[in-house]
């Protein structure tokens, strides 16, 4: 027992160290503060209604009316029955956010290297290199939590896969199942998809190796085990996956029925995202070296250039006080690459990349080739439109690739692969597989390549113009001072280029010197590990702090401010006096990309990466052209606009159609194109348009006919109608077939999509009660599958433990007999 504890103690100390480092970096969380994340600000706005409903009723609503006129909450933090893997995930993320994600980065990578039989000290070093990679820190700063969440579980998935290939079938199966289930529960399928591409490369390398070694039966047995593990992981996440897949068809990620653009021209219809949208963020070829030299291309779009900068001199020269100038130079657009917006460079680290190159010449076998293959694939695909032939091939022919945007995100794969090979460079350095001469040769080559790149940029920096995409706009905006602004900006870009290249060169030389001293027996293994720990921490953390700094008072704020990210304006206060059911159109922001109104009201707009497709199209084809008939049919009773003093004011729209109304005619059209075009001139109060088949399209209405809403909840609507004739009512609610059911006097009745996005249904004459209930079958079906999968997995865990114990007992008995 004592021996087992002694063996376990180093790992326990490492875990405690990871906790301490995570809390130290994000130390304001220890005093109750939370990190302000722009994306999470919008998430809170979008999910406010369902959160309030949950708190008030103890129940879950799977529909919200606070955004885009109404949408499912499946991608807004919905809680599902029997989602036990989510409970495990919550338990693992026991630290305050975002320290919890940093801890998961460390732990996942540490376990992966231990699985690869790396010594715990080197495994801990690798975890630091991975966890503090700049991109992984910056996504925490801006609030890409689900992305960080999914990335954190990637190493754990690889650990399970590798255990299976190592013939540890039971442990491998159980870990692959749990890790893959956790990966899927993170709910960022783009990251999971990129992990799948890496696994395909790993599988291809292992297949080739198995063929050479005549181990194909083992390979296919392993694949079968992993396939079952993934199926079970999917089952554990069945509700979320099924609900998401159902919604995707209705989102901007699904195929549009429109074949014309808003100007009437033919539209390129695909089942995924538009190519230009997918490749809007494409890595430039020169930007490749940002992985090695952080501010080679100026860093980000809002760099703090400091008091010694040319920009500071510029601001003081045009009349700014020293205090004002210091404030201005905190957000200077020094980035001069070709992407629209860059928060920070995807810096992997000079010391880490030096070790990676060193590892290229030290490491042999299948490990090296799947890591190099994953790195190259990741880099080439991140070029996007800059390597059009490859990107177009993947968009057109590789399944699901066209469902995801921002192709630069695939660099998370190289940010995973590079530290692994870097650490294995040290593993090979420390063992006796290679002779000293071979190690020295690898050191010389790695130093020549990495140091040579840095020296090249220093010698030829005069060949770069340091011109950014928006420099023309900046120059024009500053008028007579425009050229002076640009001159100062480019001077600071050049200064960053030089200083960070020198910084990288020094780190390369220090790294090389450490290995040289080790080879000359001037440093021990432990001393060299400490040297690299210091170099990597200094290198990465100092760059990370430029972009996510715990001392930034604007970045770490009170919990109250996080939970109330949008200030309530006088306009909001005035609108909220109206307690009826209506919608708001906020024109003080881009309504289709802001959750500000959703935090307080039922909004026509919202903020989401996968917006409801038909609402997005309605904005593009109608609302952006100020079609007030369409605005009115959405029951936009209030507008929020800026007055002449730039303050928000509310404007009541007396022409809003209301919650429901009877129409006298239904125009039947044959396509989505015709339905959208009909809205150009449709009087929505008396006429509706649809592509769906109705038994009757002409209805008699009179001035005494009424239909009014009497009860409202996000997932339930109740109306009372009174009409002397059979009629057809249009409801200013978003049509969503997979869940909304309509009842007249308690009996289920069909309802239809009309006016491109709304609900409509025939109402018989007389007095009636109409109800709409959101009753998604996918939740019930998915929850049943999740429960069954959880029970099956529990039984497999118990069976696996019993089998392993018996196996261990037999082994002990055999040793006693011997």
């Amino acid at each position: 027992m004592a021996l087992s504890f002694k063996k376990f103690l180093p790992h326990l100390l490492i875990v405690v160290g990871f906790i301490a480092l995570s809390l130290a970096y994000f130390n304001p969380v220890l005093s109750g503060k939370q990190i302000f994340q722009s994306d999470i600000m919008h998430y809170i706005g979008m999910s406010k209604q369902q959160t309030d409903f949950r708190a008030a009723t103890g129940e879950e609503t799977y529909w919200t009316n606070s955004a885009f006129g109404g949408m499912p909450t499946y991608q807004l933090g919905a809680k599902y029955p029997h989602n036990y893997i989510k409970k495990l995930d919550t338990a693992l993320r026991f630290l305050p956010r975002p320290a919890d994600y940093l801890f998961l980065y460390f732990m996942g990578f540490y376990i992966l290297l231990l699985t690869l039989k790396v010594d715990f000290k080197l495994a801990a070093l690798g975890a630091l290199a991975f966890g503090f990679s700049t991109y992984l820190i910056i996504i925490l700063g801006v609030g890409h939590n689900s992305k960080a969440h999914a990335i954190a579980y990637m190493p754990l998935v690889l650990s399970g896969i590798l255990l299976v290939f190592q013939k540890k079938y039971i442990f491998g199966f159980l870990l692959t199942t749990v890790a893959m289930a956790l990966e899927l529960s993170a709910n960022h399928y783009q990251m999971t998809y990129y992990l799948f591409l890496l696994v395909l490369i790993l599988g291809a390398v292992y297949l080739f190796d198995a063929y050479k070694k005549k181990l194909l039966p083992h390979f296919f047995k392993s694949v079968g085990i992993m396939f079952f593990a993934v199926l079970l992981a999917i089952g554990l996440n069945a509700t979320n996956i099924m609900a998401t897949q159902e919604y995707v068809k209705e989102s901007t990620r699904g195929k549009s029925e429109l074949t014309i653009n808003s100007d009437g021209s033919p539209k390129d219809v695909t089942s995924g995202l538009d190519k230009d949208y997918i490749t809007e963020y494409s890595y430039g070829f020169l930007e490749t070296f940002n992985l090695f030299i952080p501010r080679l291309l100026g860093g980000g779009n809002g760099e703090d250039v400091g008091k010694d900068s040319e920009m500071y001199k510029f601001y003081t020269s045009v009349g700014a006080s020293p205090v004002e100038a210091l404030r201005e130079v905190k957000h200077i657009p020094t980035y001069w690459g070709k992407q629209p917006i860059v928060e920070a460079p995807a810096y992997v680290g000079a010391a880490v990349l030096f070790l990676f190159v060193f590892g290229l010449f030290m490491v042999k076998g299948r490990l090296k080739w799947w890591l190099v293959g994953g790195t190259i694939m990741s880099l080439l695909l991140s070029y996007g439109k800059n390597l059009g032939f490859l990107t177009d091939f993947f968009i057109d022919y590789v399944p699901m690739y066209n469902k995801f945007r921002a192709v630069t995100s695939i660099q998370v794969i190289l940010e995973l692969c590079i530290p692994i090979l870097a650490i294995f460079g040290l593993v090979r350095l420390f063992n006796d597989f290679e002779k000293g001469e071979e190690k020295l040769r690898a050191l010389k080559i790695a130093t020549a390549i990495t140091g040579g790149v840095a020296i090249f940029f220093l010698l030829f920096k005069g060949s770069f113009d340091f011109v950014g995409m928006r420099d023309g706009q900046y120059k024009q905006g500053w008028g007579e001072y425009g050229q002076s602004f640009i001159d100062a900006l480019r001077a600071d870009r050049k200064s960053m280029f030089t200083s960070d290249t020198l910084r990288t060169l020094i780190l390369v030389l220090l790294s090389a010197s450490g290995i040289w001293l080790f080879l000359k027996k001037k440093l021990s293994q432990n001393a060299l590990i400490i040297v690299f720990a210091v170099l990597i921490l200094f290198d990465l953390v100092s760059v990370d702090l430029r972009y996510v700094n715990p001392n930034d008072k604007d970045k770490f704020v009170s919990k109250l401010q996080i939970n109330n990210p949008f200030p309530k304006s006088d306009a909001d206060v005035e609108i909220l006096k109206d307690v009826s059911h209506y919608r708001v159109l906020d024109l003080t922001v881009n309504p289709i990309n802001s959750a500000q109104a959703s935090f307080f009201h039922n909004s026509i707009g919202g903020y989401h990466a996968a917006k409801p497709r038909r609402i997005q199209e309605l904005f593009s084809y109608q609302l952006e052209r100020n079609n007030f008939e369409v605005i009115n049919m959405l029951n936009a009773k209030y507008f929020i606009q800026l007055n002449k003093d730039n303050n928000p004011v509310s404007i009541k729209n007396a022409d809003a159609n209301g919650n429901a109304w009877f129409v006298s005619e239904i125009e039947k059209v044959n396509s989505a194109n015709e339905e959208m075009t009909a809205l150009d001139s449709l009087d929505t109060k008396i006429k509706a348009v649809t592509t769906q088949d109705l038994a009757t399209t002409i209805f008699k209405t009179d001035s005494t006919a009424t239909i009014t809403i009497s009860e409202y909840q996000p997932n339930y609507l109740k109306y009372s109608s009174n009409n002397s004739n059979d009629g057809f009512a249009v409801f200013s609610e978003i049509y969503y077939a997979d869940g909304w059911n309509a009842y007249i006097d308690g009996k289920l009745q069909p309802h239809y999509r009309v006016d491109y996005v709304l609900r409509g249904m025939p109402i018989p004459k007389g007095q009636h009660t109409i109800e709409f209930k959101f009753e998604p079958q996918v939740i019930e079906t998915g929850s049943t599958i999740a429960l069954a999968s959880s029970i099956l997995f529990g039984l497999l865990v118990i069976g696996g433990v019993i089998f392993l114990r018996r196996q261990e007992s037999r082994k002990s008995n055999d040793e006693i007999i011997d």
Side-chain angles (χ1 to χ4, degrees):
M1 183 70 178
L3 185 63
S4 297
F5 178 75
K6 189 175 180 181
K7 186 178 179 181
F8 179 71
L9 182 61
H11 302 300
L12 180 62
L13 293 175
I14 293 294
V15 172
V16 172
F18 289 158
I19 293 172
L21 272 174
S22 302
L23 291 173
Y25 189 90
F26 294 110
N27 62 82
V29 301
L30 295 173
S31 58
K33 291 187 176 181
Q34 296 184 4
I35 189 169
F36 183 83
Q37 302 167 303
S38 56
D39 274 28
I40 299 305
M41 172 184 73
H42 290 291
Y43 167 79
I44 291 171
M46 290 283 289
S47 61
K48 179 71 160 53
Q49 187 176 87
Q50 76 193 77
T51 303
D52 289 347
F53 182 86
R54 188 187 296 135
T57 66
E59 299 175 2
E60 191 72 21
T61 173
Y62 296 108
W63 185 269
T64 178
N65 275 303
S66 67
F68 301 117
M71 66 179 292
T73 63
Y74 306 147
Q75 293 296 303
L76 293 171
K79 297 182 184 297
Y80 303 114
H82 306 304
N83 193 3
Y84 302 114
I85 198 68
K86 198 66 184 176
K87 296 182 187 300
L88 173 61
D89 170 61
T90 302
L92 292 172
R93 292 186 293 111
F94 59 91
L95 293 179
R97 187 171 297 175
D100 57 344
Y101 292 124
L102 183 54
F103 174 70
L104 285 184
Y105 289 161
F106 292 149
M107 282 304 303
F109 203 84
Y110 181 69
I111 291 169
L112 172 59
L113 289 179
L114 291 179
T115 301
L116 288 166
K117 299 180 172 62
V118 173
D119 176 75
F120 76 93
K121 289 171 283 188
L122 286 177
L125 181 66
L128 298 181
F130 175 70
F132 282 122
S133 182
T134 301
Y135 182 78
L136 302 193
I137 296 297
I138 195 62
I139 59 177
L140 296 178
V142 297
H144 294 173
N145 288 358
S146 61
K147 179 185 285 188
H149 200 172
I151 293 168
Y153 286 131
M154 284 181 177
L156 210 58
V157 175
L158 292 176
S159 300
I161 291 170
L162 291 168
L163 280 173
V164 174
F165 278 128
Q166 292 170 11
K167 297 186 178 181
K168 297 175 182 176
Y169 297 123
I170 294 177
F171 276 136
F173 167 76
L174 295 176
L175 182 56
T176 303
T177 303
V178 171
M180 195 66 217
L182 290 168
E183 172 70 27
L184 292 170
S185 75
N187 199 35
H188 200 296
Y189 297 127
Q190 183 171 2
M191 295 300 103
T192 305
Y193 181 81
Y194 292 157
L195 173 62
F196 173 71
L197 294 181
L198 175 62
V199 171
L200 286 181
I201 292 174
L202 184 153
V205 170
Y206 270 71
L207 175 60
F208 180 73
D209 185 70
Y211 175 77
K212 280 175 54 181
K213 295 176 180 176
K214 295 182 172 51
L215 293 173
L216 286 176
H218 161 62
F219 174 83
F220 288 112
K221 178 181 178 181
S222 299
V223 170
I225 290 170
M226 287 183 279
F227 180 75
F228 181 54
V230 171
L231 279 182
L232 193 52
I234 292 171
L236 293 169
N237 287 278
T239 315
N240 185 46
I241 291 172
M242 291 170 67
T244 298
Q245 285 303 108
E246 184 180 271
Y247 172 67
V248 161
K249 295 181 294 183
E250 304 300 325
S251 78
T252 50
R253 306 295 172 100
K255 185 176 181 179
S256 174
E257 295 180 43
L258 293 172
T259 59
I260 56 171
N261 292 306
S262 57
D263 61 1
S265 61
K267 178 183 179 182
D268 180 23
V269 179
T270 66
S271 60
L273 299 172
D274 178 75
K275 280 187 182 180
D276 290 337
Y277 186 59
I278 292 171
T279 60
E280 181 182 10
Y281 290 87
S282 295
Y283 215 54
F285 295 126
L286 186 59
E287 280 185 277
T288 303
F289 297 97
N290 271 349
L291 299 167
F292 184 52
I293 303 170
R295 292 191 294 191
L296 188 78
L297 268 69
N301 285 95
E303 290 281 337
D304 183 352
V305 294
K307 189 176 181 179
D308 297 328
S309 65
E310 293 300 315
M311 287 303 301
Y312 179 84
K313 295 176 185 176
F314 166 79
Y315 277 110
T316 55
S317 72
V318 296
S321 69
V323 173
E324 290 170 334
L326 272 178
R327 185 174 62 246
E328 292 297 330
V329 299
K330 286 184 178 294
H331 303 284
I332 300 298
T334 51
Y335 172 72
W336 51 283
K338 303 304 180 185
Q339 297 184 69
I341 299 173
V342 170
E343 192 74 25
Y347 182 59
V348 173
V352 175
L353 262 171
F354 168 80
L355 287 175
F356 172 77
V357 176
F358 179 70
L360 287 175
F361 298 96
M362 290 289 291
V363 180
K364 297 176 177 62
R366 60 191 181 186
L367 173 73
K368 171 182 173 179
W369 293 116
W370 71 260
L371 290 173
V372 171
T375 301
I376 292 172
M377 173 208 68
S378 174
L379 186 61
L380 294 179
L381 287 176
S382 74
Y383 290 140
K385 60 189 175 187
N386 298 316
L387 198 64
F389 74 91
L390 181 63
T391 300
D392 288 347
F393 174 82
F394 269 73
I395 290 173
D396 293 336
Y397 300 108
V398 177
M400 292 184 67
Y401 191 79
N402 63 356
K403 302 292 184 185
F404 308 112
R405 67 183 292 259
V407 294
T408 51
S409 296
I410 200 172
Q411 286 199 352
V412 298
I413 298 303
L414 67 83
E415 285 151 6
L416 172 61
C417 293
I418 286 173
I420 299 174
L421 190 57
I423 292 301
F424 267 89
L426 288 177
V427 170
R428 301 293 286 194
L429 175 69
F430 292 158
N431 63 34
D432 298 325
F433 292 132
E434 278 79 30
K435 295 179 180 178
E437 295 81 6
E438 293 174 346
K439 295 175 181 178
L440 188 60
R441 176 178 171 273
L443 173 63
K444 290 177 180 178
I445 295 173
T447 307
I449 291 173
T450 54
V453 168
I455 292 170
F456 171 84
F457 281 118
L458 286 172
L459 292 177
F460 293 96
K461 64 182 177 182
S463 61
F464 301 103
D465 58 15
F466 301 96
V467 175
M469 289 174 65
R470 294 189 173 91
D471 283 7
Q473 298 174 27
Y474 302 144
K475 183 177 179 179
Q476 186 176 3
W478 276 95
E480 62 179 300
Y481 301 110
Q483 189 58 51
S484 299
F485 178 91
I486 293 301
D487 290 344
L489 181 61
R490 292 177 185 170
D492 283 336
R493 287 170 175 165
K494 189 173 184 179
S495 175
M496 286 179 170
F497 181 102
T498 303
S499 62
D500 272 20
T501 304
L502 275 171
R503 177 185 185 277
T504 287
L505 180 59
I506 291 169
L507 285 165
V508 165
L509 294 177
L510 288 173
S511 300
S513 298
I515 293 178
W516 185 83
L517 288 171
F518 171 78
L519 290 174
K520 296 299 179 182
K521 304 190 184 306
K522 304 290 185 181
L523 278 180
S524 66
Q525 284 189 19
N526 289 339
L528 185 59
I529 291 172
I530 293 171
V531 167
F532 273 108
V534 171
L535 288 176
I536 288 170
L537 283 173
F538 166 78
D539 182 13
L540 292 174
V541 173
S542 62
V543 174
D544 294 340
L545 290 173
R546 296 173 182 174
Y547 306 101
V548 183
N549 194 320
N551 296 320
D552 185 347
K553 293 180 181 179
D554 294 329
K555 199 66 182 171
F556 288 86
V557 297
S558 69
K559 184 178 180 180
L560 180 65
Q561 188 174 336
I562 292 294
N563 292 334
N564 296 275
F566 300 101
K568 186 184 289 186
S569 68
D570 291 341
D572 294 317
V573 172
E574 188 64 30
I575 293 170
L576 289 169
K577 291 177 181 177
D578 186 340
V579 294
S580 63
H581 181 47
Y582 54 85
R583 291 195 180 83
V584 173
L585 179 59
D586 187 355
L587 299 173
T588 65
V589 292
N590 179 357
I592 203 72
N593 273 312
S594 172
Q596 180 172 286
S598 300
F599 188 75
F600 299 106
H601 315 286
N602 289 332
S603 173
I604 292 175
Y607 182 93
H608 204 277
K611 301 174 179 67
R613 186 184 66 254
R614 284 180 171 256
I615 281 290
Q616 173 73 70
E617 291 168 344
L618 208 63
F619 265 90
S620 301
Y621 288 73
Q622 301 294 341
L623 272 67
E624 289 178 4
R625 291 154 59 184
N626 296 319
N627 186 335
F628 276 90
E629 280 293 333
V630 172
I631 292 172
N632 293 336
M633 78 181 194
L634 293 170
N635 196 21
K637 191 175 180 180
Y638 294 96
F639 303 139
I640 302 178
Q641 294 180 320
L642 296 175
N643 62 13
K644 62 181 181 180
D645 297 321
N646 214 35
N647 294 318
V649 293
S650 65
I651 300 172
K652 189 171 182 177
N653 176 22
D655 295 323
N657 289 16
N659 302 119
W661 59 97
F662 284 107
V663 294
S664 57
E665 184 182 352
I666 309 291
E667 180 183 351
K668 172 68 168 67
V669 295
N670 297 317
S671 67
N673 290 347
E674 293 179 16
E675 189 175 11
M676 180 64 79
T677 304
L679 291 175
D680 293 346
S681 56
L682 189 73
D683 185 343
T684 59
K685 290 183 176 67
I686 62 174
K687 188 177 180 180
V689 60
T690 185
T691 58
Q692 299 187 319
D693 293 322
L694 297 171
T696 306
T697 58
I698 303 296
F699 298 88
K700 288 184 71 174
T701 59
D702 60 64
S703 59
T704 63
T706 61
I707 181 166
T708 57
I709 191 167
S710 57
E711 190 174 342
Y712 158 76
Q713 292 178 0
N715 56 0
Y716 177 77
L717 298 158
K718 185 177 181 180
Y719 304 83
S720 298
S721 72
N722 189 2
N723 191 8
S724 56
N725 302 291
D726 291 342
F728 189 92
V730 176
F731 301 84
S732 59
E733 303 296 330
I734 301 303
Y735 180 87
Y736 190 83
D738 297 314
W740 278 108
N741 291 322
Y743 299 84
I744 297 179
D745 299 330
K747 294 181 180 179
L748 183 65
Q749 299 292 336
H751 68 288
Y752 305 90
R753 185 179 60 236
V754 299
D755 296 344
Y756 203 70
V757 294
L758 299 184
R759 304 175 204 168
M761 67 183 300
I763 307 291
K765 63 183 178 181
Q767 295 183 359
H768 299 283
T769 298
I770 301 103
E771 296 170 292
F772 282 99
K773 301 177 183 180
F774 193 58
E775 302 168 318
Q777 181 62 40
V778 70
I779 303 299
E780 184 177 340
T781 303
S783 298
T784 301
I785 295 172
L787 177 60
S789 299
S790 299
I791 293 171
L792 175 59
F793 182 65
L795 293 173
L796 289 172
V797 169
I798 293 170
V801 170
I802 292 172
F803 177 81
L804 289 172
R805 282 190 173 181
R806 286 180 177 176
Q807 196 176 50
E808 189 176 329
S809 178
R810 282 196 214 100
K811 186 178 178 181
S812 298
N813 291 336
D814 290 344
E815 288 174 354
I816 292 171
I817 292 170
D818 290 342

